[in-house]
Amino acid sequence: MQIIRERRLCQLVRDSAIEAALDSCQSANNITEVAGRIKSPNITKLHLNKLVFLLSAASKSSLFADAQLAPVCETLQPYSYDSGDTKAATTDVSIDDAPWIQLDLSDSQLASGAQLTITGDTATQVITAADLSSNGFSAVFDGSSVSVELSSPGGIRGNGNTSRVVVSNVKSGVCSDDGTADSICGDLDDRIPSTDVRMGRIGGCTGWLVSEDVFIQAGHCGTPSSSTRIHFVYGTGSAAPEDQYAVDISSYQGVNGGVGNDWGAGRLLPNSVTGKLPGVAQSEKCESPGCGWFNLGPVPTTTSGNNIRITGYGTAAVASRSQKTHVGALTTIGSDHIRYVPDTTGGNSGSPVVHEEEGYAIGVHTHGGCSATGGSNIGTRIDRPEFAAYVDSLMGAPTTSPPTNAPTTLPPTTPSPTNLPTNPPPCNNILDKSFCQSTNGCEWSNGKNSGCSDASVSPPPSCDSCSLIPDNKGCGNCGNCSWSGKNKVCVAV
């Protein structure tokens, strides 16, 4: 809604012929900023007066007002029930997990005196032929199912005419991908089921691990509260308690600044049942140390030959909010954002943007922009300076204590050493040069393949083990060793 209001304001500015303000409209993050940026010596007093009038009018309209309507979430899906010509019939109609349902009965035919009785969890409706002629839909019923009963005058043996009950569609309060179809790149949703242990469903978004306890999501997903849980699960339901993790809310920091400045990161607490940190538990599932979280890597310098994988918990017509994945081309590399064409929908916000060829996470997915005719989806670069610095600081900080409801088998004040995050973080996970250089065991390399890596310096071997000394110089420094030029090894003398 915010973007729509700003575009309408920008259209007002455009219509007022204040050309000098157009760039401000295109790049401003909010309406206040639009107004503040429009300060140019090229704008005449007449234009300014006109703009003041426009802004005044806009402030009294919906342009500046935040919508207060609850988001509409509904799906109309085909349903097949036909009683045939009869005087009596009963059926149950249900939609899994729907908070409410409504029946399309427009193809039904009721004889004179016949009626349909529809019963839900808390209400009942009686429909006659006159009712059907004026509106073919039933009332809206709370709950996921209703019963439908046809009755005729005198019962099944009466002298009246037969009726026919047809339920051709059911509308329900279940989200489909219709509201986010603009981020499907093409005519079809090409996402397929996925079982990546490194991510989970968090609220209406996707979150993912970058260490044993640090997670990333989109900033616009909101600040987590003490009741927030990330569910490490592949399907549509909630995770088991041992796969749910609370957020250390004091560690969380996020920015909802629009395209290129939309990110959030924080730390997760040990599980309340197992006492394990999420990265430890998830690595046990993939059976390799460190496989339970993503490694961060450099953003490619060219789009050619580079593809992006987006995996997350987007809405869908089938298995909505289950984990699904898709790969598509990297199309644009901006200074603070990247664009790509894997399919995404609502709920994919926060998904990792993974460089398919290298396997590194290089961004966080934030915005949809695809359609059947073109466009691309968008994420914030992982190396945006303040984003990268905060993630680095989280991975280098000491772990938090377990929650007060952690298992009593744990030490009273400190988690089990096996559950502690690596400190310092792996060198190749560090994106900030100064942080890399200040971390023991890491070194920063410049040039084409710049980045942080394990330092090449190793402690010198002892003179007590001549055969372990790799070079002539080191060998010569030991009086009890001699370098063999023929065999190029250091030997004891």
Side-chain angles (χ1 to χ4, degrees):
M1 292 298 295
Q2 184 72 40
I3 294 173
I4 294 173
R5 291 197 301 271
E6 289 167 9
R7 286 177 177 172
R8 291 175 62 189
L9 177 59
C10 289
Q11 183 62 49
L12 289 174
V13 175
R14 181 179 291 106
D15 291 344
S16 70
I18 306 177
E19 300 296 336
L22 294 183
D23 288 340
S24 296
C25 283
Q26 295 299 323
S27 59
N29 290 323
N30 52 60
I31 291 175
T32 302
E33 190 174 349
V34 170
R37 288 188 183 185
I38 303 175
K39 296 178 181 179
S40 167
N42 296 326
I43 300 178
T44 66
K45 183 175 181 180
L46 175 63
H47 286 153
L48 284 173
N49 288 338
K50 192 170 184 179
L51 179 60
V52 169
F53 171 80
L54 289 168
L55 291 174
S56 176
S59 67
K60 298 177 182 178
S61 72
S62 62
L63 293 180
F64 286 136
D66 287 329
Q68 293 181 310
L69 295 174
V72 176
C73 185
E74 61 184 31
T75 299
L76 182 68
Q77 61 190 78
Y79 193 90
S80 179
Y81 173 77
D82 189 339
S83 68
D85 294 331
T86 184
K87 292 183 179 180
T90 59
T91 188
D92 292 327
V93 179
S94 63
I95 301 297
D96 291 344
D97 301 322
W100 57 265
I101 62 175
Q102 185 180 28
L103 308 185
D104 181 358
L105 300 165
S106 56
D107 292 330
S108 299
Q109 297 175 350
L110 295 182
S112 177
Q115 62 183 32
L116 287 175
T117 302
I118 303 178
T119 304
D121 291 345
T122 59
T124 298
Q125 181 186 21
V126 176
I127 296 177
T128 65
D131 296 326
L132 284 178
S133 66
S134 62
N135 190 308
F137 277 83
S138 74
V140 175
F141 291 85
D142 287 338
S144 60
S145 65
V146 295
S147 63
V148 181
E149 181 180 5
L150 168 67
S151 58
S152 301
I156 194 170
R157 297 183 183 276
N159 295 324
N161 295 325
T162 59
S163 300
R164 183 179 180 184
V165 181
V166 177
V167 182
S168 55
N169 296 284
V170 177
K171 181 178 285 189
S172 63
V174 176
C175 292
S176 73
D177 60 352
D178 291 343
T180 52
D182 284 345
S183 56
I184 295 297
C185 304
D187 294 326
L188 300 176
D189 183 351
D190 294 312
R191 294 172 298 172
I192 61 174
S194 173
T195 55
D196 195 322
V197 302
R198 299 172 291 181
M199 65 184 66
R201 189 190 312 116
I202 179 168
C205 291
T206 298
W208 44 289
L209 294 170
V210 293
S211 77
E212 289 179 338
D213 65 345
V214 177
F215 81 101
I216 288 174
Q217 67 169 13
H220 73 257
C221 292
T223 301
S225 68
S226 58
S227 63
T228 300
R229 298 291 184 273
I230 184 168
H231 295 246
F232 289 95
V233 64
Y234 310 132
T236 59
S238 298
E242 56 267 29
D243 288 319
Q244 297 182 28
Y245 293 83
V247 179
D248 178 359
I249 56 177
S250 66
S251 72
Y252 184 82
Q253 182 174 315
V255 177
N256 181 13
V259 170
N261 190 23
D262 189 338
W263 58 270
R267 306 180 72 200
L268 299 172
L269 297 170
N271 182 267
S272 60
V273 176
T274 66
K276 296 177 181 178
L277 289 169
V280 173
Q282 297 307 102
S283 292
E284 291 176 355
K285 294 178 182 179
C286 51
E287 301 179 343
S288 177
C291 67
W293 60 85
F294 285 90
N295 290 321
L296 306 179
V299 177
T301 57
T302 178
T303 60
S304 178
N306 289 306
N307 293 283
I308 295 299
R309 178 180 293 276
I310 300 293
T311 306
Y313 298 84
T315 57
V318 177
S320 185
R321 299 304 315 281
S322 64
Q323 190 186 118
K324 296 186 178 183
T325 189
H326 186 220
V327 177
L330 174 64
T331 60
T332 303
I333 302 172
S335 60
D336 55 10
H337 68 278
I338 43 183
R339 291 178 176 266
Y340 35 82
V341 292
D343 291 335
T344 65
T345 58
N348 272 119
S349 286
S351 294
V353 180
V354 177
H355 184 197
E356 179 70 2
E357 284 70 26
E358 297 295 334
Y360 295 124
I362 61 172
V364 56
H365 174 71
T366 60
H367 292 78
C370 268
S371 70
T373 58
S376 56
N377 297 318
I378 314 167
T380 300
R381 290 177 59 136
I382 198 68
D383 57 1
R384 180 181 173 91
E386 58 269 37
F387 182 16
Y390 191 66
V391 172
D392 287 343
S393 70
L394 286 171
M395 292 197 295
T399 187
T400 55
S401 299
T404 55
N405 58 345
T408 55
T409 54
L410 287 178
T413 58
T414 306
S416 169
T418 59
N419 294 334
L420 291 173
T422 304
N423 189 13
C427 297
N428 61 1
N429 275 359
I430 299 177
L431 302 179
D432 183 73
K433 181 177 180 179
S434 60
F435 187 76
C436 173
Q437 293 174 330
S438 64
T439 301
N440 186 36
C442 299
E443 65 180 2
W444 185 269
S445 59
N446 295 309
K448 181 178 180 181
N449 297 316
S450 64
C452 192
S453 59
D454 294 334
S456 58
V457 178
S458 58
S462 168
C463 288
D464 294 334
S465 303
C466 299
S467 61
L468 297 180
I469 300 176
D471 55 68
N472 187 8
K473 182 178 179 181
C475 185
N477 289 334
C478 295
N480 61 322
C481 300
S482 175
W483 182 258
S484 171
K486 180 179 179 180
N487 297 319
K488 296 184 178 179
V489 294
C490 188
V491 296
V493 293

